[in-house]
Amino acid sequence: MQSVPPVRVRSLNHQTVRPGSDFVLYWMTAFRRTRFNFGLQRAVDWSEELGKPLVILEAVRTNYRWACDRFHRFIVDGMIDNAKAVSKTNATYLAYVEQASGEGSDLVRTLGQNSCLIVSDDYPCFFHPAMYERIARKWVTAIELVDSNGLMPMRATDRTFTVAHSYRRFMQKEIPSHLTEFPEEEPLKRLKVKKLKSLPSKVLETWPTLCDGSDSTKLSKLDMSTLPIDHSVKPTGERGGEVEAGKVLERFLTKRLGDYSEARNEPEQAGSSWLSPYLHFGAMSAHEIFQKLTDKIGWDSSRLSKPNGKMNGYWNMGENVEAFVDQLLTWREIGFNMCSHEKNFDRYESLPGWAQTTLEEHAKDPREFVYTQEQFEQAETHDELWNAAQRQLVREGRIHNYLRMLWGKKILHWTASPQEALKVMIHLNNKYALDGRDPNSYSGIFWVLGRYDRAWGPERPIYGKIRYMTSDSTRSKFHVKQYIKNYS
Ligand SMILES: Cc1cc2nc3c(=O)[nH]c(=O)nc-3n(C[C@H](O)[C@H](O)[C@H](O)COP(=O)(O)OP(=O)(O)OC[C@H]3O[C@@H](n4cnc5c(N)ncnc54)[C@H](O)[C@@H]3O)c2cc1C
């Protein structure tokens, strides 16, 4: 029963599987999709092995930090897609949108009591690690966590990497063996075990709003105004879910990939893939992106060169495709490496020593502008380009990548201390960005403060040896007039 590479599977609590129980439970918490998902694939394996029906539970709680209409809408859009996809198979799909804080806290444990085991998603960031640690100590049902985060399994190494080129070198050496181990495109298609006849009555009585996927209209009509979440962060109009994710990928591959390396840096062009929200919510997998991309350009692994630790040359895919693959496989996955191995990945103390030293040496430098978190949030700085970026974040849940770097660097410049800058960046990024609360969020925010970077000269006030960026240099490099107008 090893269709999922063992390096991607771990037992959370070392309890014994109960073959005599009613069903296998797949608790979908991070890889919110039915395609290219090792977690779901593992659950299908178990269901077939034990001859027990498969039940998939996808839930969204109300009391996680930054819960708001924007993220709920994106997640519920995905639930609608998942409900439809599962309804064509032998599995049972249950969606649960918590109505009051804490109301759903015992649902999974109760369902678990009737299940042979629980298979769930091994995500190294946000509330997931603490939640699994809590559960591991208390629950008696066997729980397996499966890593379907990226092409490099998180446990392929024990070490963290301080700069991108050392991670890239490691990745280039290791990746060939993982290119032969892709998740199945639609694992549910091979599920032969019959559908579960009925759910435990205690579950249905206690959680009457639990929605059987065959009736996904309930999800479409969901009224979020009564939920105890932040209603000021509005949906962006961007649809979530795996169906939309597939369209976004297709659009990128056919229209934008061709001049990605130049266009991605232009604030006034939509030159990048815009896949990060779908990757974050698990509606799209890095494996599917890689597979569709290589199919499109007719690439196979016989074209790999010797590892060189560089962005270009190793893949033999051409400049634009290699630039994109570097974002997906180096910059995205170095973040998963950090979060899975460094418990303090979101703490100031996890910055490299040189960065902490230089920031400390400049902590008392006079600051011409010091803004509070509220002033940043309301886009009330003296800099119209920065304000435009912040308004884009609030309205659309995203900021163009180049401006996102500037956005962070200026928060460092205009706060009372680097610790305060970190706090402001984490709050604003995670409160508004659709792709926030992700390993990439911490890579980007900590990059502003020196992670994955080197010391730069000349030493400057406030920044010390940390890389420096200004709005004026951004204005001189890129066309930003229209951008500022759009978000004025
Ligand atoms: C201060 C700051 C905060 C950031 N916060 C986030 C965040 O919350 N979530 C997030 O996904 N990214 C974050 N990033 C990284 C980057 O801005 C986004 O990943 C990228 O802009 C997403 O757009 P895209 O999907 O069109 O990217 P593309 O250019 O199309 O890249 C494809 C994928 O590669 C990955 N990727 C691209 N650039 C980076 C990068 N610099 N670092 C890590 N992975 C990358 C993403 O998964 C992205 O979806 C942050 C960067 C900075 C400087």
Side-chain angles (χ1 to χ4, degrees), residues 182-208:
F182 266 45
E184 291 165 38
E185 184 164 348
E186 294 179 89
L188 286 172
K189 272 199 167 163
R190 70 174 157 89
L191 182 68
K192 290 193 199 68
V193 180
K194 290 224 172 86
K195 220 180 182 83
L196 185 75
K197 288 213 176 77
S198 63
L199 281 171
S201 52
K202 183 178 167 198
V203 171
L204 293 172
E205 281 155 23
T206 319
W207 292 278

PDB file of all heavy atoms in Angstrom, residues 182-208:
ATOM      1  N   PHE A 182       5.175  11.556  -8.722  1.00  0.00           N
ATOM      2  CA  PHE A 182       4.110  12.557  -8.710  1.00  0.00           C
ATOM      3  C   PHE A 182       2.811  11.966  -8.154  1.00  0.00           C
ATOM      4  O   PHE A 182       2.551  10.778  -8.321  1.00  0.00           O
ATOM      5  CB  PHE A 182       3.880  13.074 -10.140  1.00  0.00           C
ATOM      6  CG  PHE A 182       4.677  14.316 -10.422  1.00  0.00           C
ATOM      7  CD1 PHE A 182       6.011  14.396 -10.052  1.00  0.00           C
ATOM      8  CD2 PHE A 182       4.093  15.414 -11.040  1.00  0.00           C
ATOM      9  CE1 PHE A 182       6.753  15.550 -10.287  1.00  0.00           C
ATOM     10  CE2 PHE A 182       4.812  16.567 -11.286  1.00  0.00           C
ATOM     11  CZ  PHE A 182       6.144  16.635 -10.913  1.00  0.00           C
ATOM     12  N   PRO A 183       2.002  12.792  -7.515  1.00  0.00           N
ATOM     13  CA  PRO A 183       0.691  12.287  -7.051  1.00  0.00           C
ATOM     14  C   PRO A 183      -0.213  11.975  -8.245  1.00  0.00           C
ATOM     15  O   PRO A 183      -0.029  12.525  -9.329  1.00  0.00           O
ATOM     16  CB  PRO A 183       0.124  13.456  -6.236  1.00  0.00           C
ATOM     17  CG  PRO A 183       0.881  14.660  -6.653  1.00  0.00           C
ATOM     18  CD  PRO A 183       2.212  14.213  -7.171  1.00  0.00           C
ATOM     19  N   GLU A 184      -1.191  11.104  -8.023  1.00  0.00           N
ATOM     20  CA  GLU A 184      -2.138  10.776  -9.088  1.00  0.00           C
ATOM     21  C   GLU A 184      -2.994  12.006  -9.412  1.00  0.00           C
ATOM     22  O   GLU A 184      -3.355  12.756  -8.503  1.00  0.00           O
ATOM     23  CB  GLU A 184      -3.070   9.653  -8.634  1.00  0.00           C
ATOM     24  CG  GLU A 184      -2.378   8.322  -8.472  1.00  0.00           C
ATOM     25  CD  GLU A 184      -3.237   7.341  -7.672  1.00  0.00           C
ATOM     26  OE1 GLU A 184      -4.464   7.325  -7.837  1.00  0.00           O
ATOM     27  OE2 GLU A 184      -2.653   6.600  -6.865  1.00  0.00           O
ATOM     28  N   GLU A 185      -3.338  12.138 -10.689  1.00  0.00           N
ATOM     29  CA  GLU A 185      -4.130  13.310 -11.085  1.00  0.00           C
ATOM     30  C   GLU A 185      -5.506  13.302 -10.404  1.00  0.00           C
ATOM     31  O   GLU A 185      -5.950  14.297  -9.849  1.00  0.00           O
ATOM     32  CB  GLU A 185      -4.296  13.324 -12.604  1.00  0.00           C
ATOM     33  CG  GLU A 185      -5.015  14.553 -13.092  1.00  0.00           C
ATOM     34  CD  GLU A 185      -4.856  14.770 -14.588  1.00  0.00           C
ATOM     35  OE1 GLU A 185      -4.005  14.094 -15.208  1.00  0.00           O
ATOM     36  OE2 GLU A 185      -5.592  15.609 -15.126  1.00  0.00           O
ATOM     37  N   GLU A 186      -6.172  12.157 -10.430  1.00  0.00           N
ATOM     38  CA  GLU A 186      -7.509  12.082  -9.804  1.00  0.00           C
ATOM     39  C   GLU A 186      -7.609  10.790  -8.991  1.00  0.00           C
ATOM     40  O   GLU A 186      -8.181   9.806  -9.465  1.00  0.00           O
ATOM     41  CB  GLU A 186      -8.594  12.111 -10.881  1.00  0.00           C
ATOM     42  CG  GLU A 186      -8.654  13.428 -11.623  1.00  0.00           C
ATOM     43  CD  GLU A 186      -9.717  13.427 -12.695  1.00  0.00           C
ATOM     44  OE1 GLU A 186     -10.865  13.779 -12.372  1.00  0.00           O
ATOM     45  OE2 GLU A 186      -9.399  13.058 -13.835  1.00  0.00           O
ATOM     46  N   PRO A 187      -7.064  10.786  -7.791  1.00  0.00           N
ATOM     47  CA  PRO A 187      -6.996   9.542  -7.023  1.00  0.00           C
ATOM     48  C   PRO A 187      -8.363   8.918  -6.734  1.00  0.00           C
ATOM     49  O   PRO A 187      -8.474   7.703  -6.621  1.00  0.00           O
ATOM     50  CB  PRO A 187      -6.298   9.956  -5.713  1.00  0.00           C
ATOM     51  CG  PRO A 187      -6.403  11.442  -5.652  1.00  0.00           C
ATOM     52  CD  PRO A 187      -6.491  11.924  -7.056  1.00  0.00           C
ATOM     53  N   LEU A 188      -9.410   9.751  -6.655  1.00  0.00           N
ATOM     54  CA  LEU A 188     -10.731   9.206  -6.305  1.00  0.00           C
ATOM     55  C   LEU A 188     -11.311   8.319  -7.401  1.00  0.00           C
ATOM     56  O   LEU A 188     -12.193   7.514  -7.148  1.00  0.00           O
ATOM     57  CB  LEU A 188     -11.706  10.343  -6.008  1.00  0.00           C
ATOM     58  CG  LEU A 188     -11.496  11.051  -4.667  1.00  0.00           C
ATOM     59  CD1 LEU A 188     -12.393  12.274  -4.569  1.00  0.00           C
ATOM     60  CD2 LEU A 188     -11.755  10.105  -3.494  1.00  0.00           C
ATOM     61  N   LYS A 189     -10.795   8.469  -8.622  1.00  0.00           N
ATOM     62  CA  LYS A 189     -11.339   7.685  -9.743  1.00  0.00           C
ATOM     63  C   LYS A 189     -11.150   6.192  -9.550  1.00  0.00           C
ATOM     64  O   LYS A 189     -11.911   5.398 -10.080  1.00  0.00           O
ATOM     65  CB  LYS A 189     -10.667   8.118 -11.042  1.00  0.00           C
ATOM     66  CG  LYS A 189     -11.363   9.266 -11.701  1.00  0.00           C
ATOM     67  CD  LYS A 189     -10.964   9.362 -13.149  1.00  0.00           C
ATOM     68  CE  LYS A 189     -11.914  10.303 -13.869  1.00  0.00           C
ATOM     69  NZ  LYS A 189     -11.358  10.734 -15.141  1.00  0.00           N
ATOM     70  N   ARG A 190     -10.089   5.810  -8.809  1.00  0.00           N
ATOM     71  CA  ARG A 190      -9.853   4.371  -8.662  1.00  0.00           C
ATOM     72  C   ARG A 190     -10.480   3.798  -7.375  1.00  0.00           C
ATOM     73  O   ARG A 190     -10.278   2.641  -7.042  1.00  0.00           O
ATOM     74  CB  ARG A 190      -8.356   4.053  -8.713  1.00  0.00           C
ATOM     75  CG  ARG A 190      -7.571   4.516  -7.505  1.00  0.00           C
ATOM     76  CD  ARG A 190      -6.137   4.043  -7.561  1.00  0.00           C
ATOM     77  NE  ARG A 190      -5.270   4.877  -6.762  1.00  0.00           N
ATOM     78  CZ  ARG A 190      -5.016   4.673  -5.479  1.00  0.00           C
ATOM     79  NH1 ARG A 190      -5.574   3.661  -4.835  1.00  0.00           N
ATOM     80  NH2 ARG A 190      -4.211   5.480  -4.823  1.00  0.00           N
ATOM     81  N   LEU A 191     -11.245   4.605  -6.655  1.00  0.00           N
ATOM     82  CA  LEU A 191     -11.862   4.121  -5.414  1.00  0.00           C
ATOM     83  C   LEU A 191     -13.029   3.187  -5.739  1.00  0.00           C
ATOM     84  O   LEU A 191     -14.042   3.623  -6.302  1.00  0.00           O
ATOM     85  CB  LEU A 191     -12.348   5.324  -4.586  1.00  0.00           C
ATOM     86  CG  LEU A 191     -12.966   5.000  -3.234  1.00  0.00           C
ATOM     87  CD1 LEU A 191     -11.920   4.448  -2.270  1.00  0.00           C
ATOM     88  CD2 LEU A 191     -13.609   6.247  -2.612  1.00  0.00           C
ATOM     89  N   LYS A 192     -12.863   1.913  -5.345  1.00  0.00           N
ATOM     90  CA  LYS A 192     -13.930   0.943  -5.682  1.00  0.00           C
ATOM     91  C   LYS A 192     -14.850   0.669  -4.491  1.00  0.00           C
ATOM     92  O   LYS A 192     -15.991   0.251  -4.663  1.00  0.00           O
ATOM     93  CB  LYS A 192     -13.308  -0.371  -6.148  1.00  0.00           C
ATOM     94  CG  LYS A 192     -12.639  -0.246  -7.502  1.00  0.00           C
ATOM     95  CD  LYS A 192     -12.316  -1.613  -8.071  1.00  0.00           C
ATOM     96  CE  LYS A 192     -11.269  -1.492  -9.140  1.00  0.00           C
ATOM     97  NZ  LYS A 192      -9.942  -1.079  -8.608  1.00  0.00           N
ATOM     98  N   VAL A 193     -14.348   0.859  -3.284  1.00  0.00           N
ATOM     99  CA  VAL A 193     -15.162   0.568  -2.094  1.00  0.00           C
ATOM    100  C   VAL A 193     -16.425   1.425  -2.129  1.00  0.00           C
ATOM    101  O   VAL A 193     -16.374   2.624  -2.445  1.00  0.00           O
ATOM    102  CB  VAL A 193     -14.359   0.883  -0.800  1.00  0.00           C
ATOM    103  CG1 VAL A 193     -15.197   0.569   0.428  1.00  0.00           C
ATOM    104  CG2 VAL A 193     -13.065   0.097  -0.771  1.00  0.00           C
ATOM    105  N   LYS A 194     -17.544   0.794  -1.799  1.00  0.00           N
ATOM    106  CA  LYS A 194     -18.839   1.496  -1.926  1.00  0.00           C
ATOM    107  C   LYS A 194     -18.960   2.662  -0.944  1.00  0.00           C
ATOM    108  O   LYS A 194     -18.339   2.672   0.106  1.00  0.00           O
ATOM    109  CB  LYS A 194     -19.974   0.509  -1.672  1.00  0.00           C
ATOM    110  CG  LYS A 194     -20.113  -0.499  -2.777  1.00  0.00           C
ATOM    111  CD  LYS A 194     -21.602  -0.672  -3.133  1.00  0.00           C
ATOM    112  CE  LYS A 194     -21.771  -1.511  -4.360  1.00  0.00           C
ATOM    113  NZ  LYS A 194     -21.790  -2.953  -4.072  1.00  0.00           N
ATOM    114  N   LYS A 195     -19.816   3.598  -1.295  1.00  0.00           N
ATOM    115  CA  LYS A 195     -20.073   4.793  -0.476  1.00  0.00           C
ATOM    116  C   LYS A 195     -20.639   4.416   0.903  1.00  0.00           C
ATOM    117  O   LYS A 195     -21.396   3.450   1.011  1.00  0.00           O
ATOM    118  CB  LYS A 195     -21.152   5.608  -1.205  1.00  0.00           C
ATOM    119  CG  LYS A 195     -20.942   7.076  -1.189  1.00  0.00           C
ATOM    120  CD  LYS A 195     -22.093   7.757  -1.947  1.00  0.00           C
ATOM    121  CE  LYS A 195     -21.882   9.234  -1.981  1.00  0.00           C
ATOM    122  NZ  LYS A 195     -20.991   9.703  -3.026  1.00  0.00           N
ATOM    123  N   LEU A 196     -20.311   5.200   1.907  1.00  0.00           N
ATOM    124  CA  LEU A 196     -20.875   4.992   3.247  1.00  0.00           C
ATOM    125  C   LEU A 196     -22.396   5.195   3.198  1.00  0.00           C
ATOM    126  O   LEU A 196     -22.870   6.150   2.579  1.00  0.00           O
ATOM    127  CB  LEU A 196     -20.252   6.010   4.210  1.00  0.00           C
ATOM    128  CG  LEU A 196     -20.640   5.871   5.674  1.00  0.00           C
ATOM    129  CD1 LEU A 196     -19.914   4.678   6.302  1.00  0.00           C
ATOM    130  CD2 LEU A 196     -20.294   7.137   6.458  1.00  0.00           C
ATOM    131  N   LYS A 197     -23.135   4.285   3.859  1.00  0.00           N
ATOM    132  CA  LYS A 197     -24.610   4.395   3.774  1.00  0.00           C
ATOM    133  C   LYS A 197     -25.121   5.572   4.592  1.00  0.00           C
ATOM    134  O   LYS A 197     -25.934   6.361   4.146  1.00  0.00           O
ATOM    135  CB  LYS A 197     -25.251   3.089   4.260  1.00  0.00           C
ATOM    136  CG  LYS A 197     -25.052   1.968   3.261  1.00  0.00           C
ATOM    137  CD  LYS A 197     -26.251   1.020   3.282  1.00  0.00           C
ATOM    138  CE  LYS A 197     -26.113  -0.047   2.227  1.00  0.00           C
ATOM    139  NZ  LYS A 197     -25.153  -1.118   2.611  1.00  0.00           N
ATOM    140  N   SER A 198     -24.653   5.664   5.844  1.00  0.00           N
ATOM    141  CA  SER A 198     -25.126   6.804   6.653  1.00  0.00           C
ATOM    142  C   SER A 198     -24.077   7.181   7.687  1.00  0.00           C
ATOM    143  O   SER A 198     -23.285   6.344   8.125  1.00  0.00           O
ATOM    144  CB  SER A 198     -26.437   6.438   7.354  1.00  0.00           C
ATOM    145  OG  SER A 198     -26.173   5.366   8.230  1.00  0.00           O
ATOM    146  N   LEU A 199     -24.137   8.451   8.070  1.00  0.00           N
ATOM    147  CA  LEU A 199     -23.180   8.956   9.069  1.00  0.00           C
ATOM    148  C   LEU A 199     -23.665   8.596  10.468  1.00  0.00           C
ATOM    149  O   LEU A 199     -24.864   8.376  10.672  1.00  0.00           O
ATOM    150  CB  LEU A 199     -23.115  10.468   8.968  1.00  0.00           C
ATOM    151  CG  LEU A 199     -22.265  11.040   7.839  1.00  0.00           C
ATOM    152  CD1 LEU A 199     -22.483  12.523   7.758  1.00  0.00           C
ATOM    153  CD2 LEU A 199     -20.783  10.737   8.077  1.00  0.00           C
ATOM    154  N   PRO A 200     -22.765   8.541  11.460  1.00  0.00           N
ATOM    155  CA  PRO A 200     -23.202   8.285  12.833  1.00  0.00           C
ATOM    156  C   PRO A 200     -24.268   9.305  13.245  1.00  0.00           C
ATOM    157  O   PRO A 200     -24.109  10.500  13.003  1.00  0.00           O
ATOM    158  CB  PRO A 200     -21.922   8.477  13.659  1.00  0.00           C
ATOM    159  CG  PRO A 200     -20.795   8.409  12.689  1.00  0.00           C
ATOM    160  CD  PRO A 200     -21.329   8.747  11.334  1.00  0.00           C
ATOM    161  N   SER A 201     -25.373   8.815  13.870  1.00  0.00           N
ATOM    162  CA  SER A 201     -26.479   9.731  14.181  1.00  0.00           C
ATOM    163  C   SER A 201     -26.053  10.824  15.158  1.00  0.00           C
ATOM    164  O   SER A 201     -26.510  11.964  15.075  1.00  0.00           O
ATOM    165  CB  SER A 201     -27.674   8.948  14.725  1.00  0.00           C
ATOM    166  OG  SER A 201     -27.234   8.137  15.786  1.00  0.00           O
ATOM    167  N   LYS A 202     -25.113  10.512  16.054  1.00  0.00           N
ATOM    168  CA  LYS A 202     -24.671  11.513  17.030  1.00  0.00           C
ATOM    169  C   LYS A 202     -24.058  12.733  16.305  1.00  0.00           C
ATOM    170  O   LYS A 202     -24.267  13.880  16.699  1.00  0.00           O
ATOM    171  CB  LYS A 202     -23.616  10.876  17.948  1.00  0.00           C
ATOM    172  CG  LYS A 202     -23.157  11.806  19.034  1.00  0.00           C
ATOM    173  CD  LYS A 202     -22.154  11.175  19.960  1.00  0.00           C
ATOM    174  CE  LYS A 202     -21.512  12.239  20.823  1.00  0.00           C
ATOM    175  NZ  LYS A 202     -20.274  11.813  21.436  1.00  0.00           N
ATOM    176  N   VAL A 203     -23.367  12.451  15.229  1.00  0.00           N
ATOM    177  CA  VAL A 203     -22.729  13.542  14.478  1.00  0.00           C
ATOM    178  C   VAL A 203     -23.796  14.422  13.830  1.00  0.00           C
ATOM    179  O   VAL A 203     -23.747  15.653  13.910  1.00  0.00           O
ATOM    180  CB  VAL A 203     -21.766  12.945  13.413  1.00  0.00           C
ATOM    181  CG1 VAL A 203     -21.257  14.025  12.469  1.00  0.00           C
ATOM    182  CG2 VAL A 203     -20.603  12.242  14.097  1.00  0.00           C
ATOM    183  N   LEU A 204     -24.770  13.791  13.214  1.00  0.00           N
ATOM    184  CA  LEU A 204     -25.816  14.563  12.522  1.00  0.00           C
ATOM    185  C   LEU A 204     -26.656  15.374  13.500  1.00  0.00           C
ATOM    186  O   LEU A 204     -27.077  16.493  13.220  1.00  0.00           O
ATOM    187  CB  LEU A 204     -26.710  13.618  11.711  1.00  0.00           C
ATOM    188  CG  LEU A 204     -25.997  12.940  10.542  1.00  0.00           C
ATOM    189  CD1 LEU A 204     -26.883  11.889   9.904  1.00  0.00           C
ATOM    190  CD2 LEU A 204     -25.563  13.967   9.513  1.00  0.00           C
ATOM    191  N   GLU A 205     -26.901  14.781  14.688  1.00  0.00           N
ATOM    192  CA  GLU A 205     -27.699  15.506  15.694  1.00  0.00           C
ATOM    193  C   GLU A 205     -26.927  16.702  16.250  1.00  0.00           C
ATOM    194  O   GLU A 205     -27.463  17.780  16.443  1.00  0.00           O
ATOM    195  CB  GLU A 205     -28.055  14.586  16.865  1.00  0.00           C
ATOM    196  CG  GLU A 205     -29.214  13.661  16.557  1.00  0.00           C
ATOM    197  CD  GLU A 205     -29.159  12.416  17.429  1.00  0.00           C
ATOM    198  OE1 GLU A 205     -28.533  12.447  18.511  1.00  0.00           O
ATOM    199  OE2 GLU A 205     -29.736  11.387  17.000  1.00  0.00           O
ATOM    200  N   THR A 206     -25.642  16.494  16.523  1.00  0.00           N
ATOM    201  CA  THR A 206     -24.866  17.571  17.162  1.00  0.00           C
ATOM    202  C   THR A 206     -24.498  18.674  16.185  1.00  0.00           C
ATOM    203  O   THR A 206     -24.403  19.836  16.562  1.00  0.00           O
ATOM    204  CB  THR A 206     -23.574  16.993  17.794  1.00  0.00           C
ATOM    205  OG1 THR A 206     -23.896  15.763  18.419  1.00  0.00           O
ATOM    206  CG2 THR A 206     -22.950  17.932  18.793  1.00  0.00           C
ATOM    207  N   TRP A 207     -24.268  18.303  14.908  1.00  0.00           N
ATOM    208  CA  TRP A 207     -23.851  19.319  13.930  1.00  0.00           C
ATOM    209  C   TRP A 207     -24.824  19.311  12.746  1.00  0.00           C
ATOM    210  O   TRP A 207     -24.487  18.843  11.652  1.00  0.00           O
ATOM    211  CB  TRP A 207     -22.412  19.050  13.470  1.00  0.00           C
ATOM    212  CG  TRP A 207     -21.427  19.276  14.569  1.00  0.00           C
ATOM    213  CD1 TRP A 207     -20.911  20.482  14.968  1.00  0.00           C
ATOM    214  CD2 TRP A 207     -20.841  18.290  15.434  1.00  0.00           C
ATOM    215  NE1 TRP A 207     -20.047  20.307  16.033  1.00  0.00           N
ATOM    216  CE2 TRP A 207     -19.984  18.970  16.336  1.00  0.00           C
ATOM    217  CE3 TRP A 207     -20.953  16.905  15.553  1.00  0.00           C
ATOM    218  CZ2 TRP A 207     -19.257  18.311  17.326  1.00  0.00           C
ATOM    219  CZ3 TRP A 207     -20.221  16.252  16.533  1.00  0.00           C
ATOM    220  CH2 TRP A 207     -19.390  16.953  17.410  1.00  0.00           C
ATOM    221  N   PRO A 208     -26.038  19.828  12.960  1.00  0.00           N
ATOM    222  CA  PRO A 208     -27.051  19.759  11.889  1.00  0.00           C
ATOM    223  C   PRO A 208     -26.667  20.556  10.640  1.00  0.00           C
ATOM    224  O   PRO A 208     -27.215  20.320   9.575  1.00  0.00           O
ATOM    225  CB  PRO A 208     -28.305  20.332  12.555  1.00  0.00           C
ATOM    226  CG  PRO A 208     -27.824  21.087  13.743  1.00  0.00           C
ATOM    227  CD  PRO A 208     -26.533  20.482  14.173  1.00  0.00           C
TER     228      PRO A 208
END
